[in-house]
Amino acid sequence: MKIEPITETMKVVSVWTLTPMDKPLDYLAGREIAIGDVVLVPFGKRDILGVVWREVDREDISKLKSVISKSELPPLQNSFCSFVEKMAEYTLSPLGQILKMGLRVPDPIAQKNYFLKALNEDVALTPKQAQLRSWLLENAEHGTDPKIISGFSRAIMNGLVERGGAEWVDPIEANARPQLDRKNMMLSDEQQNAVDAVSVSTKPVLLKGITGSGKTEVYFEAVAGALREERQALIMLPEIALTDRFIARCSERFGISPGHWHSDMGVTARRDVWNGVANGKVPIVIGARSALFLPYQNLGLIVVDEEHDTAFKQEEGVIYHGRDMAVLRGHFENANVLLASATPSVESLQNAQSGRYELVELKERFGEAVLPKIRVSDMRDAGLNASSWIGPELVAEMKKRLQLGEQSLLFLNRRGFAPLTICRACGHQLGCPNCDARLVEHRARGRLQCHQCGFEELLPKACPECEVEDKLAPIGPGVERLAEEVAEHFPDARILVLSSDLVQGEKRLKQEINAIMNGEYDIIVGTQMVAKGHNFSNLTLVGIVDADIGLEGGDLRAAERSFQLLRQVTGRAGRAEKPGLALVQSYQPDHALLNAILRQDDEAFYALEIRGREQAMAPPFSRFIAVIISSPDLNEAVQIGRDMVSNSQSLQSAGMRIFGPAIAPISRIRGRSRVRILVKMPKNLALHKLVQDWRSATKKSSKAKITLDVDPQSFF
Ligand code: ADP
Ligand code: ZN
């Protein structure tokens, strides 16, 4: 029988399915199906979603299946498709997996989440209801998400609605009319200059300004600029835990609630925001890196707050850096991009110096905040025994704070009680059965834990190796152990230990932060969790317990990370009226980096660091691609690594250099052995395709996995 030619009513389209496949598939489709449409297609035994990428001219259509139907989702825009294509090419990831991140939208019949909006009627209210109504009138003229109203229960909200003092409104409608003009604040010249730079620059703008220099006001003004042009604005934040306050501030500024997007949200909110972004009714989005993949109708601005933060790097699934992809998306959307930080990444600063980004600085500070005094405490003179970590100088300063009724913070970036447990009889170190990692004692929970895979067990009585009892001893400090030492010095002080494993959940963290603000604690002992963005006005002493951790971590960004972290932590001291002191304990106080931090000399730090990278031809002066080969069988992983290196001629003749294979620093995670190869390439080389082909050509069993990490941030 003769096969029908493609008729007037049928065509062939190439569809990227939302799968890890490395190429699109052809399907027959009706004329009404257009490029960018989200469609349902048969795929093996299932029906799955895909996106129509282009029309194809092909003769042989006998084996083609047909598109089943067009989904109710709006078609994807050209600019978004171009972005996804470029991102797939850059990150060496399957395009369909990236599309999948953009189409994480739940089914449309889920229930709606309503906003509370005050009504100015003359009705009788209880005092609490009246209070809520005035709060709403003042802060959320057009209504707000009840979840971000604090201090009022649901019962009070419902009561207020029943009495006619407020109503529930559709959040999308509530979002309709943002208030664009600033209410009562004049921007400084520096700030205005930054705002202007964002609106006129055709390049991304890097905004460097210490905490309190007014960066957030610059973002808001830039957002207002985008909204005036009827375009949308996205502000990306690194930490979900900090967003509530930011959202409240944004609502106050614009009189509307911004759309909030992150990976951990409920079905209703997800659907509302996704649709509102797609139809343009949500003008402002505040979100985590995943907000970058929303289907904006007309995106005019992307702000990346704390652009140096490692939380923007996604390390699983599609591996990408949210900041870099923000720059890419901004390019395709023709949107302004603003990257901001007090301590920019070396990459971004270098991009500014080479002219790819435009650098704008804020040097003034608002309010009475002053930079803390920083003093080093030379631990070589401290005379501490092997199981104490708080030197006499720090103890003396803490004592002063206690007498004055002020707060102290001790910072140590190590969770748990002790990072290592060793048998004093045989020398055995307790390790994880699944990973090449030591078990960390968490005494508060009475357990040992692996910080790689989460494996947990009770602290054994006898050594698992030599079976001698009561000889297992903790070595080195974690925050829990440090807190014990604090309690020995100050038995009456109220001490709080703050670390991610102790404070589980956002809500609990907020409670603890509030308790600190309310003066319920005298001394806080914490990990890097305390470093981020909180403002404690009565906190006047920060003790860095061990500034030497991380000064030379051996990894590319160890120095940069320490600089950023120490900067942030020391910035916690004396942020309000009371000037603070940061006391930095170190056994190598003459270290160049430490000195740059002590002198608060950023330029010296960046100059040192950038020169070092250039001499080593390390990023940002070259590009790294990390290859991570993992398998349950170490021998297989090693063999694959060797094969890849011996088959890398095409890469080498193109100017790339191959290092490895080497067993990874953490040689096993979750029962899988790991081998790494590092590819170094000149920055201007766009040879990602070669690397991809190299991977595809490698033979391996189905149990083994080869992951490519472009611009790796972690090297373990
Ligand atoms: P950053 O984001 O850099 O930490 P913020 O934007 O939060 O700084 O500003 C710090 C404080 O100074 C805030 O309380 C803010 O309201 C205030 N502020 C910022 N800009 C101005 C200005 N132009 N005039 C008066 N106060 C300002
Ligand atoms: Zn483990």
Side-chain angles (χ1 to χ4, degrees):
M1 196 180 83
K2 194 166 161 280
I3 292 159
E4 285 287 318
I6 303 181
T7 64
E8 286 295 298
T9 54
M10 288 297 251
K11 59 185 168 186
V12 181
V13 290
S14 170
V15 173
W16 275 104
T17 54
L18 307 191
T19 65
M21 282 199 47
D22 60 2
K23 57 177 193 298
L25 300 172
D26 287 352
Y27 289 93
L28 283 172
R31 281 286 147 195
E32 74 286 0
I33 299 289
I35 291 173
D37 279 351
V38 183
V39 290
L40 194 67
V41 293
F43 183 83
K45 289 201 175 90
R46 297 177 295 151
D47 298 339
I48 59 171
L49 284 184
V51 176
V52 177
W53 219 247
R54 53 174 204 269
E55 295 187 11
V56 243
D57 209 5
R58 86 178 243 183
E59 299 280 290
D60 161 34
I61 56 165
S62 55
K63 294 213 177 69
L64 292 187
K65 293 181 177 166
S66 296
V67 167
I68 299 168
S69 61
K70 190 164 136 175
S71 113
E72 283 168 19
L73 299 174
L76 301 182
Q77 300 195 5
N78 252 330
S79 55
F80 182 71
C81 294
S82 309
F83 161 65
V84 170
E85 208 162 273
K86 191 73 194 177
M87 175 166 168
E89 191 184 310
Y90 188 85
T91 60
L92 304 170
S93 312
L95 198 151
Q97 294 291 86
I98 301 175
L99 282 176
K100 200 169 168 183
M101 298 196 292
L103 292 169
R104 267 186 206 139
V105 49
D107 92 68
I109 54 169
Q111 222 202 331
K112 237 183 159 55
N113 175 41
Y114 284 96
F115 279 21
L116 189 60
K117 178 180 170 214
L119 288 170
N120 218 347
E121 310 279 319
D122 191 13
V123 289
L125 299 175
T126 67
K128 202 74 187 162
Q129 289 168 349
Q131 223 178 328
L132 172 58
R133 183 164 73 173
S134 4
W135 186 89
L136 285 169
L137 286 169
E138 200 144 299
N139 296 296
E141 201 185 333
H142 306 298
T144 191
D145 190 335
K147 285 198 285 298
I148 68 165
I149 304 176
S150 63
F152 299 95
S153 65
R154 279 280 171 169
I156 296 169
M157 297 181 194
N158 289 332
L160 179 63
V161 172
E162 265 166 38
R163 300 247 182 134
E167 61 179 343
W168 294 109
V169 294
D170 183 329
I172 302 299
E173 298 308 321
N175 259 325
R177 290 159 292 142
Q179 130 98 35
L180 295 181
D181 293 327
R182 250 174 298 117
K183 278 185 215 146
N184 39 25
M185 184 186 290
M186 283 282 291
L187 292 188
S188 69
D189 289 349
E190 275 189 333
Q191 284 174 313
Q192 190 57 51
N193 184 26
V195 173
D196 294 344
V198 176
S199 68
V200 300
S201 179
T202 50
K203 308 170 189 171
V205 171
L206 175 63
L207 179 63
K208 179 174 188 293
I210 46 174
T211 313
S213 60
K215 294 189 295 300
T216 309
E217 296 301 332
V218 172
Y219 310 164
F220 288 163
E221 212 45 40
V223 168
L227 300 192
R228 281 191 192 100
E229 294 178 3
E230 315 247 300
R231 302 182 76 187
Q232 293 162 294
L234 161 64
I235 303 180
M236 286 164 64
L237 304 178
E239 281 287 306
I240 301 180
L242 296 177
T243 38
D244 275 15
R245 226 181 51 214
F246 197 94
I247 287 181
R249 194 168 159 190
C250 186
S251 309
E252 197 177 327
R253 166 66 181 79
F254 291 100
I256 59 166
S257 299
H260 182 194
W261 186 267
H262 55 89
S263 54
D264 187 29
M265 57 201 288
V267 176
T268 325
R270 179 175 284 270
R271 190 216 47 206
D272 286 353
V273 176
W274 198 94
N275 287 313
V277 165
N279 62 27
K281 286 193 174 165
V282 170
I284 309 173
V285 174
I286 291 179
R289 55 176 189 247
S290 52
L292 204 53
F293 301 95
L294 285 169
Y296 299 90
Q297 189 188 56
N298 186 355
L299 185 61
L301 172 73
I302 307 176
V303 177
V304 183
D305 184 38
E306 309 284 357
E307 66 89 29
H308 66 278
D309 201 302
T310 48
F312 286 120
K313 179 79 194 265
Q314 174 152 307
E315 302 275 12
E316 277 175 3
V318 179
I319 299 178
Y320 69 93
H321 201 301
R323 174 198 59 223
D324 298 343
M325 294 307 114
V327 170
L328 191 66
R329 178 125 201 216
H331 168 76
F332 284 107
E333 299 290 345
N334 215 350
N336 296 319
V337 176
L338 174 59
L339 312 177
S341 172
T343 51
S345 62
V346 168
E347 276 87 349
S348 294
L349 206 73
Q350 213 280 325
N351 273 326
Q353 289 180 356
S354 71
R356 282 193 48 192
Y357 295 171
E358 185 163 332
L359 180 66
V360 183
E361 290 189 64
L362 295 181
K363 291 180 170 161
E364 273 167 41
R365 275 190 122 175
F366 286 96
E368 296 186 52
V370 280
L371 283 175
K373 275 207 208 83
I374 302 188
R375 202 167 79 216
V376 73
S377 181
D378 187 340
M379 295 303 281
R380 293 170 302 190
D381 311 329
L384 291 182
N385 67 28
S387 52
S388 317
W389 294 275
I390 309 175
E393 230 182 319
L394 186 50
V395 172
E397 291 293 344
M398 290 168 74
K399 191 165 177 189
K400 270 194 231 164
R401 298 302 178 296
L402 278 171
Q403 284 160 354
L404 290 168
E406 296 174 0
Q407 293 168 311
S408 308
L409 163 70
L410 296 196
F411 172 80
L412 177 71
N413 211 8
R414 275 190 178 147
R415 290 189 278 142
F417 185 81
L420 171 63
T421 302
I422 190 166
C423 170
R424 287 236 156 99
C426 74
H428 176 68
Q429 306 185 350
L430 296 186
C432 173
N434 313 319
C435 305
D436 171 36
R438 289 148 164 181
L439 291 174
V440 177
E441 182 182 353
H442 289 257
R443 191 161 287 187
R445 284 183 291 133
R447 306 194 134 234
L448 292 163
Q449 192 197 42
C450 169
H451 285 183
Q452 286 315 312
C453 72
F455 169 85
E456 282 202 350
E457 66 180 15
L458 291 171
L459 182 63
K461 194 162 169 55
C463 170
E465 195 68 18
C466 69
E467 295 178 1
V468 175
E469 289 194 359
D470 297 323
K471 285 287 178 190
L472 291 172
I475 307 293
V479 280
E480 291 177 29
R481 194 173 195 186
L482 202 63
E484 284 190 1
E485 192 180 342
V486 173
E488 279 162 28
H489 287 291
F490 308 108
D492 299 326
R494 296 163 301 167
I495 303 166
L496 172 68
V497 183
L498 211 55
S499 95
S500 56
D501 54 303
L502 295 173
V503 184
Q504 278 174 357
E506 241 182 280
K507 205 165 160 190
R508 187 62 203 289
L509 176 62
K510 265 185 248 163
Q511 286 167 355
E512 301 286 28
I513 301 278
N514 282 334
I516 300 173
M517 288 190 185
N518 297 337
E520 290 168 34
Y521 296 102
D522 304 309
I523 299 169
I524 299 109
V525 181
T527 60
Q528 66 176 357
M529 211 177 170
V530 299
K532 291 185 180 170
H534 311 292
N535 219 327
F536 307 119
S537 55
N538 198 36
L539 186 104
T540 57
L541 173 69
V542 170
I544 308 291
V545 174
D546 185 351
D548 306 331
I549 298 182
L551 275 184
E552 265 130 343
D555 111 24
L556 176 67
R557 293 182 183 81
E560 179 183 348
R561 292 277 146 71
S562 303
F563 163 71
Q564 286 157 345
L565 200 58
L566 292 188
R567 222 343 157 50
Q568 271 185 330
V569 182
T570 54
R572 297 300 120 218
R575 306 229 319 144
E577 311 73 35
K578 299 174 192 161
L581 170 70
L583 197 63
V584 178
Q585 298 195 138
S586 170
Y587 284 91
Q588 38 178 339
D590 302 322
H591 196 285
L593 161 71
L594 200 56
N595 268 289
I597 298 174
L598 296 178
R599 295 198 314 270
Q600 317 209 24
D601 184 352
D602 291 11
E603 274 172 40
F605 167 77
Y606 284 110
L608 272 171
E609 186 64 18
I610 289 178
R611 195 173 338 126
R613 301 257 188 113
E614 188 164 19
Q615 278 163 358
M617 275 316 280
F621 296 93
S622 63
R623 175 153 287 140
F624 284 180
I625 299 174
V627 182
I628 301 113
I629 302 149
S630 72
S631 164
D633 172 11
L634 175 65
N635 290 330
E636 186 190 10
V638 170
Q639 193 52 50
I640 293 172
R642 289 198 184 124
D643 291 349
M644 287 186 86
V645 172
S646 41
N647 295 329
S648 63
Q649 297 87 349
S650 62
L651 275 62
Q652 301 200 29
S653 48
M656 298 186 213
R657 296 180 63 199
I658 316 291
F659 299 86
I663 295 191
I666 298 178
S667 64
R668 220 150 44 99
I669 295 184
R670 295 186 186 96
R672 296 176 69 86
S673 293
R674 306 166 76 243
V675 166
R676 296 181 70 105
I677 296 172
L678 186 67
V679 180
K680 263 196 196 187
M681 56 193 272
K683 192 151 188 192
N684 51 5
L685 228 54
L687 292 174
H688 289 173
K689 180 79 171 57
L690 271 183
V691 180
Q692 215 160 16
D693 293 345
W694 178 48
R695 169 177 55 184
S696 319
T698 304
K699 289 196 187 66
K700 62 175 191 63
S701 79
S702 61
K703 286 193 200 110
K705 196 169 158 205
I706 304 173
T707 306
L708 299 175
D709 180 358
V710 179
D711 302 333
Q713 296 282 315
S714 59
F715 294 84
F716 55 78

